[in-house]
Amino acid sequence: MRDKPSTQATLQQVADAAGVSLATASRVLHGSGGRTVREELRARVLAEANRLRYVSHAPAQALARATTSIVGLIVHDIADPYFAAIAAGAMRAARDHDLMVMVACTFREPQLELEYVARLRAQRARAIILAASAFTGTRFLADLADHLAGYADQGGRVVAIGDHGPGVDAVIPSNYAGAQLAAEHLVSLGHTEVGVVSGPDTLATVADRLAGFQSVLPATAVAAGDFSRDGGYAAARELLTARPSLTAVFALDDVMAYGVLAAARDLGRDVPGDLSVVGFDDVPGAADVGPPLTTIRLDLAELGSRVLGLAVAPPNGSVTVPASLVVRSSTAVAR
Amino acid sequence: MRDKPSTQATLQQVADAAGVSLATASRVLHGSGGRTVREELRARVLAEANRLRYVSHAPAQALARATTSIVGLIVHDIADPYFAAIAAGAMRAARDHDLMVMVACTFREPQLELEYVARLRAQRARAIILAASAFTGTRFLADLADHLAGYADQGGRVVAIGDHGPGVDAVIPSNYAGAQLAAEHLVSLGHTEVGVVSGPDTLATVADRLAGFQSVLPATAVAAGDFSRDGGYAAARELLTARPSLTAVFALDDVMAYGVLAAARDLGRDVPGDLSVVGFDDVPGAADVGPPLTTIRLDLAELGSRVLGLAVAPPNGSVTVPASLVVRSSTAVAR
C-alpha cells in the first residue's frame, strides 16, 4: 500500500486514503470554500496527496471555477513598513479564508499598477486589493478604471485602501482628520512656525493629509520629497536651512519623519528641545527611534485585515477607520 | 474600429491593433520569456487588450506550458523588516524577468510552510523561494523534502535563503562568521560578561548565529524569545534582572535588539554607557533607533535579488553572501 502509484491519483483516492470526505480533501488541496479544516485532518490530506503524487491542476480548476484562491495585493513598496504591516494583516486574515495573497509592488510607477492589474486579471485572481494610494492623474485614473471594469466583467472583485472612486469598496484611513489631530497637537504646544515635509503630489494620501493639517495650522513652508527616509531627510534639510525659525516639522509619514530626525541631528537641532517632529501611520518601529516618535496612529494590521474582509464579502460600501494621536518624546512646548 | 467587439478577441487581433508582433503581445500579456518589452509598446498592448476585452486565459496557458509567471516566496512574517527588505529586493529583480512574486507568510508554523508549498505547486508556480529559515525538526524536514521532490518532478525550481540541504540551491548569509564579528567587536571593547538574546531554537539561523558568537566569546547567559521586538524585550528583561553584572547583550536579530534597547531604558540602564547592545541584519531603521544600533550588516535587498536570480537560472550550486560589522552608537568600552 505504501508503493508509489504508477498512474495519476484522483481526489477521491486521496480522500479515501486520508479517511476524509471528498469536500474536505478539496478544501485542503484547492483552497475553495470558506470553512476551515482542522489542522490534523489538513496534515493527513496533504501527506496522502503527496504520497500518492496527487496533482491538483489548480489552473484547470481555475478555468472551471473562473476564479482561483489568489488575492492580489498591490502596494507601492513592500520594504516600506506601512505596506509591510498592512500586508501582514491581510495575510493573517487570508489564512482564515484559505486564500493566498500575491503581493505586487508598483515602486510608485502608475504604468506598473496597470500592468499588475492586467496580470492578476489574467491569473483569474479572486480579488484585487489596491493598497497603494491612488495616483491622481486623470489619464491614469481613466486607464485604471477601464482595466478594473474589464476585471469586474469577469467576476473579479476590486477593493482598496483609500478612496478609489465610487465603484470600489474601500477601507478609508482618516487621513484628513488624522492630520488635523497632528496640527491641533502642535498648536496646543504653542507652535506657530511649522514646516511640512510632504510626499509626491501625485498621491491622493498626500493631498488629504496636507489639506487636513493646513485646515488647522497653515504651514510656514512645505517641502516635498519621496515617501522614504532619504526623501524626508532631503526635504527637512532644505526646510530647516531655508527657515531656521521653524520650531516644528510635520512629516506626512513616519518613514519620512525618520529622515527628519536624522537631518535635525546632522544640523545640530535637538529634538524635542529645539524642534518638535510629528509623523503619521505609527509604523512598527516608531516607538523605537531616537527620540520615540509622536505620530498619528492607524491600526495597520487591522487595515489589512479589514480590506481582506471586504475582498471576500459581497459589495457593501466603504468603511472609514479612525486615526488617533500618540504622544511620545519627539514633541514639546515651542521654545 | 473603436467599437466594442461582440465576440472574444484573439491575441493576434490585439497584436495587430497595437501594431506589434504576436510574440511581443504574448510577452506583455502572459509574462512569458525573459526579454523586456519597451514601456511604450507595453502600454499600447495593454490598452488594446483592454479595449478589445481580450481575456488571456492564463490558467489555460499554465496547463499548456506547465508553469506560470508566478514565483512563490515563503517568509515567516512580512511585517518583519528583514523579510520585507528581502521581498522588495526579490520583487525588483522579478520585474526584470517579467515575473510576479507571490508572498506567503508561515507565521513560523512548519505546517503552514508545507501547505504553502503544496498550494504553490498546485498553482504551477515557476519557482518557490524558501526565504524563511529552515525549521530543524527531522519530521518536518522529511515532509518538506517530500513535497519539494513532488514539485521538482513537475519541473518546478526550488531555491532558498539559508542552507536547506544539498538539493536546494541557496543564497547563504554568513550567519556564523557574522556572529563571530559581533563577538570580536565586543571583545575588542573589553566585554567579558555578555548575554545573548536568542530566537526559537527550532530555526537553523539561530543555531548558526549562536554557535558563531560562542566560538569567539562564550556567553555568560542565554535567554530565548520570539524573533520579535516583544520577544527581545522579555528575554532582555530576564537576562538583565538575573545577571546585573552583564555589560553587553548580543541580540540575534535587529528587531529583537530594538526590544533589548527598550528593556534597558525601562530598567534605567544607559546604552552604551552601562550596557552595549549589538544586533544582526542591519534592517532599514537600525540607524534610526535610539541610540543608532551597532549591528552585523547583510545586504538584504541584494539577498532578495540574488535568490530571485537563482530561481530563474538553471541549477548551479549555492552562493554565500558576506556579513560585515557596522559600528554605530549602541556599543562602547565596557564600564
Side-chain angles (χ1 to χ4, degrees):
Chain A
M1 275 305 284
R2 304 297 295 182
D3 291 345
K4 246 189 202 176
S6 56
T7 59
Q8 184 129 340
T10 65
L11 184 60
Q12 187 64 61
Q13 289 172 314
V14 173
D16 291 346
V20 301
S21 71
L22 193 62
T24 298
S26 173
R27 267 199 294 279
V28 173
L29 294 167
H30 310 148
S32 51
R35 276 183 38 215
T36 307
V37 177
R38 263 190 303 131
E39 210 51 51
E40 178 207 331
L41 291 185
R42 182 182 293 281
R44 223 152 69 202
V45 171
L46 287 174
E48 290 302 328
N50 192 56
R51 188 179 67 82
L52 296 166
R53 293 274 184 267
Y54 172 71
V55 175
S56 88
H57 283 299
Q61 289 156 9
L63 277 182
R65 290 203 317 260
T67 56
T68 60
S69 61
I70 292 173
V71 173
L73 175 72
I74 302 182
V75 304
H76 286 321
D77 184 359
I78 198 69
D80 182 328
Y82 169 82
F83 290 114
I86 287 174
M91 284 174 183
R92 276 188 196 276
R95 206 185 136 181
D96 296 337
H97 295 278
D98 253 337
L99 296 169
M100 284 191 82
V101 172
M102 170 152 53
V103 179
C105 286
T106 65
F107 300 109
R108 299 200 162 76
E109 294 175 29
Q111 186 55 42
L112 264 185
E113 182 156 344
L114 294 181
E115 193 175 327
Y116 279 129
V117 168
R119 279 286 187 95
L120 287 164
R121 187 177 157 189
Q123 293 291 347
R124 292 283 194 283
R126 177 187 172 129
I128 296 177
I129 301 174
L130 306 169
S133 176
F135 301 98
T136 52
T138 50
R139 168 68 195 281
F140 166 79
L141 287 176
D143 283 355
L144 181 64
D146 228 36
H147 277 282
L148 293 177
Y151 175 66
D153 281 358
Q154 280 173 220
R157 172 112 169 95
V158 181
V159 297
I161 292 179
D163 190 0
H164 278 65
V168 179
D169 283 356
V171 177
I172 300 178
S174 297
N175 287 319
Y176 188 93
Q180 287 184 312
L181 292 177
E184 285 162 9
H185 174 61
L186 290 176
V187 167
S188 77
L189 293 170
H191 294 277
T192 53
E193 295 214 44
V194 175
V196 174
V197 165
S198 179
D201 63 7
T202 50
L203 300 179
T205 300
V206 169
D208 292 346
R209 293 182 180 180
L210 194 54
F213 188 86
Q214 304 239 51
S215 75
V216 173
L217 173 56
T220 307
V222 177
D226 284 348
F227 255 142
S228 68
R229 181 187 189 274
D230 291 349
Y233 182 91
R237 261 201 104 100
E238 180 190 327
L239 272 182
L240 295 171
T241 308
R243 305 270 191 165
S245 60
L246 295 178
T247 62
V249 171
F250 173 50
L252 291 197
D253 82 359
D254 286 348
V255 177
M256 295 188 96
Y258 293 2
V260 176
L261 293 175
R265 260 196 309 273
D266 289 354
L267 293 168
R269 302 284 299 266
D270 178 60
V271 177
D274 293 334
L275 188 76
S276 287
V277 177
V278 183
F280 203 118
D281 290 336
D282 198 25
V283 296
D288 295 309
V289 292
L293 187 68
T294 295
T295 189
I296 304 301
R297 175 173 170 75
L298 295 174
D299 187 336
L300 301 174
E302 171 80 12
L303 261 179
S305 132
R306 291 191 72 166
V307 79
L308 195 283
L310 286 187
V312 299
N316 193 29
S318 293
V319 291
T320 300
V321 294
S324 57
L325 173 70
V326 180
V327 179
R328 296 199 182 100
S329 314
S330 66
T331 47
V333 170
R335 55 142 207 275
Chain B
M1 279 302 286
R2 303 297 295 182
D3 291 344
K4 246 191 204 179
S6 55
T7 58
Q8 184 130 339
T10 64
L11 183 61
Q12 186 65 61
Q13 288 171 317
V14 173
D16 290 348
V20 301
S21 71
L22 192 63
T24 298
S26 172
R27 266 197 294 276
V28 172
L29 295 167
H30 309 149
S32 52
R35 279 186 36 216
T36 308
V37 178
R38 263 192 303 132
E39 213 47 57
E40 179 207 330
L41 291 185
R42 180 182 296 280
R44 223 152 71 202
V45 171
L46 286 174
E48 290 303 327
N50 192 56
R51 188 180 68 80
L52 295 166
R53 293 273 184 265
Y54 171 73
V55 174
S56 86
H57 284 299
Q61 287 156 10
L63 277 184
R65 288 205 318 262
T67 57
T68 59
S69 61
I70 292 173
V71 173
L73 175 72
I74 301 183
V75 304
H76 286 320
D77 185 359
I78 198 69
D80 182 328
Y82 170 82
F83 290 113
I86 286 175
M91 285 173 182
R92 277 189 196 274
R95 209 185 134 184
D96 296 338
H97 294 280
D98 253 337
L99 297 170
M100 284 191 81
V101 172
M102 171 152 51
V103 179
C105 286
T106 65
F107 300 109
R108 298 198 165 77
E109 294 176 27
Q111 188 54 42
L112 265 184
E113 182 156 346
L114 294 181
E115 192 174 329
Y116 279 130
V117 168
R119 278 286 186 94
L120 287 164
R121 184 176 158 189
Q123 293 292 345
R124 294 282 193 284
R126 179 190 170 125
I128 296 178
I129 301 175
L130 306 170
S133 176
F135 301 99
T136 52
T138 49
R139 169 71 194 280
F140 165 80
L141 288 176
D143 283 355
L144 181 64
D146 227 36
H147 277 282
L148 294 177
Y151 175 67
D153 281 357
Q154 280 173 219
R157 173 111 168 96
V158 181
V159 298
I161 292 179
D163 190 0
H164 278 65
V168 180
D169 283 358
V171 177
I172 299 178
S174 297
N175 287 318
Y176 188 93
Q180 288 184 311
L181 292 177
E184 285 162 9
H185 174 61
L186 290 175
V187 167
S188 78
L189 293 169
H191 295 277
T192 52
E193 295 214 43
V194 176
V196 174
V197 166
S198 178
D201 63 7
T202 51
L203 300 178
T205 300
V206 169
D208 291 346
R209 292 183 181 181
L210 194 54
F213 189 85
Q214 303 239 54
S215 76
V216 173
L217 174 56
T220 307
V222 177
D226 284 348
F227 256 140
S228 69
R229 182 188 188 273
D230 292 349
Y233 181 91
R237 260 201 105 101
E238 180 190 326
L239 271 183
L240 295 172
T241 308
R243 305 269 189 163
S245 60
L246 295 178
T247 62
V249 172
F250 172 49
L252 290 197
D253 83 358
D254 287 349
V255 176
M256 295 189 96
Y258 293 3
V260 176
L261 293 175
R265 262 196 307 275
D266 289 354
L267 293 169
R269 303 284 299 264
D270 178 58
V271 176
D274 292 334
L275 187 75
S276 287
V277 178
V278 183
F280 202 118
D281 291 338
D282 198 25
V283 296
D288 294 310
V289 292
L293 187 68
T294 295
T295 190
I296 303 302
R297 175 174 169 75
L298 295 174
D299 187 336
L300 300 174
E302 171 80 11
L303 261 179
S305 131
R306 291 191 73 169
V307 79
L308 195 286
L310 286 187
V312 298
N316 193 28
S318 294
V319 292
T320 300
V321 295
S324 57
L325 172 71
V326 180
V327 179
R328 296 198 181 101
S329 313
S330 65
T331 46
V333 171
R335 58 144 203 274

